[in-house]
Amino acid sequence: MTQPTQPTQPTQQSTWDAVDAYFSEQLVGHDPVLEAATAAADAAGLPRIAVAPNQGKLLHLLALAQGARRILEVGTLGGYSTIWLARALPADGTLISLELDPEHAEVARGNLARAGLEKVAEVRLGRAADSLAVLVEQGEEPFDLVFIDADKPSNPEYFRRALQLTRPGSLIIVDNVVRGGAIADAASTDPAVVATRALHELIAAEPRVTATSVQTVGSKGYDGFTLARVQG
Ligand code: SAH
Ligand code: DHB
Ligand code: MG
């Protein structure tokens, strides 16, 4: 029996970059709106931590697969992932994105306006924990998809809130759950790792969701996503 061909050396960041560039070139292509959004974020000095183009498209595809009409995002930055998600919405859809930093929110609003998405996508300024509490108090209609991508130590709190703001069939996605493999270190004292491990314990004990986490490599290094579907 012949074995499938496997690389004999561990692959490197340069390889992951090349593969991401190839996929993005083939399957995302030249996108002036997204390129302008990245340029505006760079010009404003925002950290370069938005999802990669092919990851943004994954979020877009998941939102399309959900048939999402209402999307909630926790952590806007310059609105790069927001644009990908909002583009999956129908014209009368709604996206609410929560952001703490007023400069980030301002850049994101400009990017959403340039993308022609200002009618569907709104950036709410403030601590996400507070904004989420307000959404719950106001009895906001359930969201079809929630993307959690803000301060990682708050992941368990954001996930609990997401459960209050969704319905059976909704999808909750959490970014950056692997962080170079640190998630597997039970002795870690890094608050992001401790909290993301707590998130996994919470999910494991939560009968209302069925979930998995996947590792990813690419231009953003070695990381991963958690996907959780609220059960019917
Ligand atoms: N989703 C974006 C990246 C978000 S980066 C993208 O992929 O394009 C994380 C963002 O969360 C930053 O803009 C940061 O300012 C914001 N953030 C950090 N702590 C927060 C908090 N407590 N409440 C709301 N936003 C927060
Ligand atoms: C960081 C945050 C992110 O959301 C991300 O995708 C990558 C890095 C960070 O805070 O370093
Ligand atoms: Mg992220």
Side-chain angles (χ1 to χ4, degrees):
M1 282 274 282
T2 54
Q3 295 293 320
T5 307
Q6 294 289 340
T8 52
Q9 296 291 322
T11 49
Q12 304 290 326
Q13 183 64 53
S14 58
T15 309
W16 303 342
D17 288 344
V19 173
D20 258 8
Y22 172 72
F23 286 153
S24 295
E25 192 182 309
Q26 291 295 325
L27 304 177
V28 178
H30 176 55
D31 189 320
V33 165
L34 288 168
E35 286 162 18
T38 299
D42 285 349
L46 269 50
R48 304 192 74 167
I49 55 175
V51 293
N54 54 340
Q55 294 178 328
K57 192 152 186 191
L58 173 65
L59 295 174
H60 178 75
L61 291 170
L62 290 168
L64 288 177
Q66 278 298 100
R69 306 185 63 85
R70 294 177 50 80
I71 297 176
L72 174 65
E73 177 177 66
V74 185
T76 318
L77 191 66
Y80 185 84
S81 55
T82 322
I83 292 172
W84 273 116
L85 287 165
R87 279 177 170 179
L89 289 169
D92 62 348
T94 301
L95 184 151
I96 298 174
S97 187
L98 310 179
E99 175 55 52
L100 175 64
D101 187 315
E103 288 176 30
H104 296 184
E106 192 186 319
V107 172
R109 286 180 185 130
N111 283 335
L112 288 166
R114 268 188 297 276
L117 292 165
E118 72 276 18
K119 288 211 173 71
V120 290
E122 174 200 344
V123 181
R124 290 204 186 164
L125 190 61
R127 292 177 64 235
D130 298 337
S131 303
L132 290 164
V134 169
L135 288 170
V136 171
E137 278 161 28
Q138 289 178 339
E140 189 77 16
E141 253 183 77
F143 293 93
D144 307 307
L145 186 152
V146 181
F147 179 47
I148 299 175
D149 189 23
D151 50 314
K152 311 310 172 189
S154 301
N155 275 342
E157 177 174 10
Y158 296 158
F159 193 89
R160 276 191 216 99
R161 287 300 193 188
L163 278 179
Q164 294 180 296
L165 289 162
T166 48
R167 52 150 180 97
S170 296
L171 183 67
I172 304 171
I173 307 168
V174 188
D175 193 21
N176 311 117
V177 299
V178 174
R179 299 309 275 269
I183 187 70
D185 179 6
S188 175
T189 55
D190 177 340
V193 175
V194 172
T196 304
R197 289 179 64 86
L199 170 71
H200 280 79
E201 280 158 39
L202 186 165
I203 291 173
E206 176 51 74
R208 283 175 294 173
V209 299
T210 182
T212 192
S213 292
V214 289
Q215 306 180 61
T216 58
V217 294
S219 58
K220 293 202 66 189
Y222 169 35
D223 215 322
F225 294 100
T226 296
L227 301 179
R229 185 178 194 271
V230 181
Q231 295 285 55

